[in-house]
Amino acid sequence: MRAIVVERGESQPRVVDVERPSAGENEVLVRTLRVGIDGTDHEVVGGSHGGYPEGADYQILGHEAVGVVEEATGTDLEAGQLVVPTVRRPPDGQSNEYFDRGEPDMAPAGAYVERGIDGAHGYMAEYFTSAPEFLVPVPDELAETGFLVEPISNAEKALDLADASRSTFEWSPESAFVLGNGPLGLLTLALIEQRDVDRTYGLGRRDRPDPTVDIIERFGATYVDSRETPVDEVPDVHEPMDLVFEATGYAKHAYETIDALAPNGVGALLGIPEPLAFEIDGGRLHRDFVLENKALVGSVNSHVPHFEAATETLLACPDWFTEALITDVYDPGDVEAAFEDGDDRIKTVVEFDAP
Amino acid sequence: MRAIVVERGESQPRVVDVERPSAGENEVLVRTLRVGIDGTDHEVVGGSHGGYPEGADYQILGHEAVGVVEEATGTDLEAGQLVVPTVRRPPDGQSNEYFDRGEPDMAPAGAYVERGIDGAHGYMAEYFTSAPEFLVPVPDELAETGFLVEPISNAEKALDLADASRSTFEWSPESAFVLGNGPLGLLTLALIEQRDVDRTYGLGRRDRPDPTVDIIERFGATYVDSRETPVDEVPDVHEPMDLVFEATGYAKHAYETIDALAPNGVGALLGIPEPLAFEIDGGRLHRDFVLENKALVGSVNSHVPHFEAATETLLACPDWFTEALITDVYDPGDVEAAFEDGDDRIKTVVEFDAP
């Protein structure tokens, strides 16, 4: 079967022919429909994040997938059922306390592998296998968009952590600010738009006309161009923010978020930055953080409950949004083009089989 | 009656004779027993924090008090009842949404005054008045130590926020690290020692023999000398910390806390720093913060439920601890000596009336 892989020593993905996997005991064989590409995939290809499966000289890419159960192998799933796979798995097939209690997203390094990212093959292949507990059933109407459940699930988890951090007092955010107009930023904005938040803002650094700015504004959110209004000046130019999501992975934004927050506000950090040293007004930021009861939560990965919440969120997204978001659909044979970047594309997906 | 005040234009506290206050309608007159001195009092005296009551040319100091109800004035309190006053009050006697829902500690600047600190007279006087809802009854056995309820309540609130931020997953901290061996740090350590935390650590920068190091070690905690082991090296030298309390107000510690935390750990920031700019390894810290699901919560002030929790905590503290902590008891006439600093003193209290 065809699979999109990165090989050791290479820095470009390519299509290879690999053996179709067989479902072992208590494993399900899934026929892949679509697999999304995100920034992490580019990092894996470039070698700055993740790692190869033990002993393998290539890694099958892809962690945002939707597929159809081909062989249910006696599990509770049924052939023909649409499913979305989660990302983390126990290392060496051994479970551990984090997986036992359904919280692999809280496992520390060494207690998990990540399919398509770190130490395990991903989903960019015509078929993949998985234990059934890592496959989340989704309705048939998500056959084309279901690969978005995984990135939305990361925002769901971050929002859960942010909400929990404010749960000791009455807190209903009236203003929310998403840093980043990439797919994760736009999906996070779509999630927040489904909450009762009065005013929303989206940060980018693009000139109009731009398809991401169009999406931000079609949601009724205010587009903030960081070239004109740095994050820490947003309270003066617009308003202090009750909730900030950092989805760019630009290191300075984490600290500017403290300034952007309203009293009692919370910043959820999802983007993963590269190392970068810089000077900050550390005392003043720390002082404001304390005197105004602010909070920051870091959030990585997600698990089944977040995938289930993300499925509901995706079902409630307007059609115009997913149509505008998914700009490019490629056959696996066009892998080179699929991994190119461009200002006119937002979300690219590789289609292994038509829904 | 005698009161300890700071006068406009002065930078030393002194004893003056002021009119004894009268309890208005729905107000209670309290006879002051003891009032503690903390770092905030020194900042108020020095003019770097807080401000005078509107129209007043002096401010009565003190916000950590315990006293006896002298006139209950038809309220639910009874004469002779031991009480501890909270700190925040509505500005201009008007209530607002934060006070209405019992969360004045979450009020933003402008929506509160703070007795003894900012815009309202404090408790360092023979008598003070208060609305009864801001007086927390405490058992008679706390007549000598009850002024510690207020600082403990700040740690209780910070701990509540920290716990809440980790409430979406299974989290039971096994290691906790208190930065600071001042009274707030030691009281926070006493609070944590009452929880089921396996290993505790306390940070200071003092040579042995030292009374604060003695307290840390008598609790069974490990003393960490920051001159030998910087906060960000603690995971290598000791272990990563599930819970960190920053109680020094030294600005760099807030950022070093991110390094000190274990995966899924939380840092509670209580200390209030001065402005200070410095370089940080901002990208790496931000990255670890995200990839390890870390959190930071800022926490200021506290309210009635935290005072009630602090009362229970204080009652459960061993006698040796409060005896070692309260090193100096002064008559109001010795105000100059009471406000002096010294390595041999930990907590100083001004006694207006013997319990």
Side-chain angles (χ1 to χ4, degrees), chain B residues 254-273:
Chain B
Y255 309 91
E256 292 166 340
T257 288
I258 299 173
D259 270 327
L261 287 173
N264 309 335
V266 57
L269 309 185
L270 288 82
I272 301 172

Side-chain angles (χ1 to χ4, degrees), chain B residues 96-277:
Chain B
N96 58 45
E97 58 174 314
Y98 299 97
F99 285 86
D100 289 346
R101 59 177 182 247
E103 296 175 351
D105 54 309
M106 304 310 290
Y112 62 83
V113 294
E114 290 185 333
R115 294 195 63 162
I117 302 173
D118 195 1
H121 286 309
Y123 307 124
M124 281 193 187
E126 290 177 55
Y127 293 89
F128 64 87
T129 58
S130 172
E133 64 265 32
F134 301 120
L135 297 173
V136 180
V138 300
D140 288 346
E141 64 195 278
L142 296 185
E144 291 193 349
T145 58
F147 69 94
L148 295 172
V149 166
E150 194 279 335
I152 296 172
S153 75
N154 292 311
E156 299 277 2
K157 172 181 165 180
L159 190 59
D160 275 0
L161 283 169
D163 279 336
S165 80
R166 313 286 78 189
S167 63
T168 62
F169 58 96
E170 189 169 309
W171 186 71
S172 359
E174 294 176 359
S175 53
F177 186 20
V178 177
L179 313 187
N181 58 342
L184 179 58
L186 295 173
L187 289 165
T188 302
L189 185 62
L191 166 60
I192 291 174
E193 293 295 341
Q194 293 182 21
R195 287 180 49 139
D196 186 23
V197 176
D198 296 340
R199 297 170 303 279
T200 53
Y201 300 80
L203 186 84
R205 39 191 304 113
R206 300 268 197 90
D207 292 323
R208 293 185 181 84
D210 176 82
T212 67
V213 176
D214 288 345
I215 289 177
I216 289 169
E217 294 183 336
R218 187 153 176 193
F219 271 127
T222 301
Y223 172 58
V224 179
D225 185 335
S226 64
R227 297 168 301 182
E228 291 166 13
T229 309
V231 169
D232 51 1
E233 291 178 16
V234 163
D236 288 335
V237 176
H238 297 284
E239 63 176 317
M241 300 293 165
D242 295 322
L243 177 61
V244 174
F245 274 83
E246 202 309 290
T248 68
Y250 176 58
K252 289 188 180 176
H253 283 342
Y255 309 91
E256 292 166 340
T257 288
I258 299 173
D259 270 327
L261 287 173
N264 309 335
V266 57
L269 309 185
L270 288 82
I272 301 172
E274 294 300 306
L276 182 69

Side-chain angles (χ1 to χ4, degrees), chain A residues 162 175-179 231 241-246 253 257 260-262 265-270:
Chain A
S175 54
F177 187 19
V178 177
L179 313 187
V231 169
M241 300 293 166
D242 295 323
L243 178 62
V244 174
F245 274 83
E246 202 310 290
H253 283 343
T257 289
L261 288 173
V266 57
L269 308 185
L270 287 82

Side-chain angles (χ1 to χ4, degrees), chain A residues 76-114:
Chain A
D76 287 344
L77 289 166
E78 286 182 16
Q81 167 71 59
L82 200 66
V83 290
V84 170
T86 65
V87 177
R88 289 195 174 175
R89 298 291 183 277
D92 307 324
Q94 308 287 323
S95 191
N96 59 46
E97 57 173 316
Y98 299 97
F99 285 86
D100 288 346
R101 59 178 181 246
E103 297 175 350
D105 54 309
M106 305 309 290
Y112 61 83
V113 293
E114 289 185 334

Side-chain angles (χ1 to χ4, degrees), chain B residues 8-173:
Chain B
R8 279 189 200 270
E10 298 289 324
S11 60
Q12 289 293 330
R14 63 190 194 99
V15 179
V16 296
D17 196 59
V18 301
E19 198 176 343
R20 175 172 151 172
S22 300
E25 196 180 342
N26 197 37
E27 264 197 340
V28 175
L29 180 70
V30 178
R31 176 168 49 88
T32 309
L33 296 181
R34 288 179 157 195
V35 186
I37 298 174
D38 79 353
T40 300
D41 296 311
H42 285 278
E43 288 184 11
V44 171
V45 167
S48 66
H49 190 74
Y52 292 83
E54 205 176 314
D57 54 3
Y58 67 88
Q59 180 174 38
I60 299 175
L61 295 168
H63 58 280
E64 302 177 350
V66 61
V68 176
V69 173
E70 181 84 6
E71 295 172 12
T73 333
T75 66
D76 287 344
L77 289 166
E78 286 182 18
Q81 167 71 61
L82 201 67
V83 290
V84 170
T86 66
V87 177
R88 289 195 173 175
R89 297 291 183 277
D92 308 324
Q94 308 286 323
S95 192
N96 58 45
E97 58 174 314
Y98 299 97
F99 285 86
D100 289 346
R101 59 177 182 247
E103 296 175 351
D105 54 309
M106 304 310 290
Y112 62 83
V113 294
E114 290 185 333
R115 294 195 63 162
I117 302 173
D118 195 1
H121 286 309
Y123 307 124
M124 281 193 187
E126 290 177 55
Y127 293 89
F128 64 87
T129 58
S130 172
E133 64 265 32
F134 301 120
L135 297 173
V136 180
V138 300
D140 288 346
E141 64 195 278
L142 296 185
E144 291 193 349
T145 58
F147 69 94
L148 295 172
V149 166
E150 194 279 335
I152 296 172
S153 75
N154 292 311
E156 299 277 2
K157 172 181 165 180
L159 190 59
D160 275 0
L161 283 169
D163 279 336
S165 80
R166 313 286 78 189
S167 63
T168 62
F169 58 96
E170 189 169 309
W171 186 71
S172 359

